[in-house]
Amino acid sequence: PTHCISSAASDVYKRQGGDGTWNHGAGGNGGNGGNGGAGGSSGDGGSGGAIYNAGTLEVSSSTLADNRAGDGGTGGAGGIGRPAGRYGTGNAGNGQFGQDGDGGRGGNGGPGANGGNAGSGGDGAAGGHGGALANGGTLAVSSSTFVGDQPGSRGSAGPGGSGGLPGGGGGAPGGSGTTGTDGVSGAGASVFAGGAGSARVAGSILSGASFGGECAGPVVDAGYNISDDASCNLIATGSIGSSATLNGSMGVLADNGGPTLTFLPMPGS
């Protein structure tokens, strides 16, 4: 005989499958942001605003005015930390259908990660030495005038970079970079003696330094020099070194009849 299954019986059979279990798998975490690189250090200022001597040099009956050694360079800025990856998004689940049951859904995305740390700023460089003369050889100066010369200024430190932004869902921002270190200013506005060289000064006027002193290094006082500060250590016969020496005792730098501009002593000085 022919057997038939009624529509009502078929519905009962299908409902026996029941609903499948929903699986909640976790989504992956976002990746950390990359760290910023450190800023580069800069170059030192050049020495010897007017003359750099590495051999044998004699300077006589000359005026060296308003020269300046090179300034130190500014340190580079630190790199910026990169943003973190955002939190992940769960994919649809791959659960098996249990007759009429539903497949499990995809898991929630994992928490966002941390932003990258920033790089430190680069260090500033040193200013150059010897606003007028920098010596690394054998130097002899006589009957000359130095006025208004300056060594190089120090380079400024580079700033640290900014930390990277965090990912969503609880990530932390990256740390800021530290500022670099300032450079140091140059020395010896009029004469700088460095290394194994020798420098002798005789019968000369050294004045007008705003910083760094008129002399720096082993400058030999050969007599009859005048300086407006004590940096040249003037102790030989006829030499005077003090800030009060030139104040009011000399006129302005001018053409007083010689081959170069000079200071004319004031009456009663």
Side-chain angles (χ1 to χ4, degrees):
T2 302
H3 297 281
C4 297
I5 299 175
S6 68
S7 175
S10 176
D11 289 342
V12 171
Y13 176 80
K14 289 172 65 179
R15 287 196 295 271
Q16 287 176 351
D19 290 336
T21 301
W22 285 25
N23 296 318
H24 300 274
N29 295 339
N32 289 333
N35 295 331
S41 297
S42 55
D44 294 340
S47 294
I51 300 172
Y52 178 82
N53 174 51
T56 300
L57 176 66
E58 180 178 351
V59 177
S60 179
S61 302
S62 300
T63 296
L64 292 90
D66 300 324
N67 299 288
R68 185 183 182 105
D71 295 333
T74 300
I80 297 173
R82 302 302 300 166
R86 300 295 182 180
Y87 56 87
T89 301
N91 295 321
N94 295 318
Q96 297 296 318
F97 286 90
Q99 298 292 340
D100 217 21
D102 296 327
R105 68 179 176 84
N108 293 326
N114 300 330
N117 294 323
S120 299
D123 294 336
H129 302 302
L133 288 173
N135 179 60
T138 301
L139 173 66
V141 178
S142 62
S143 303
S144 294
T145 300
F146 298 82
V147 57
D149 302 300
Q150 306 295 342
S153 298
R154 68 184 183 183
S156 300
S162 301
L165 297 174
S176 296
T178 57
T179 300
T181 301
D182 288 335
V184 295
S185 296
S190 295
V191 180
F192 172 80
S198 62
R200 296 173 57 86
V201 180
S204 297
I205 297 174
L206 306 94
S207 67
S210 59
F211 66 93
E214 297 295 346
C215 300
V219 177
V220 176
D221 175 19
Y224 299 98
N225 294 302
I226 300 175
S227 173
D228 63 359
D229 66 20
S231 64
C232 297
N233 192 29
L234 300 182
I235 58 174
T237 302
S239 292
I240 303 173
S242 70
S243 59
T245 301
L246 297 179
N247 294 336
S249 64
M250 296 286 183
V252 297
L253 190 68
D255 182 358
N256 295 300
T260 64
L261 301 179
T262 57
F263 289 113
L264 182 67
M266 300 297 289
S269 64

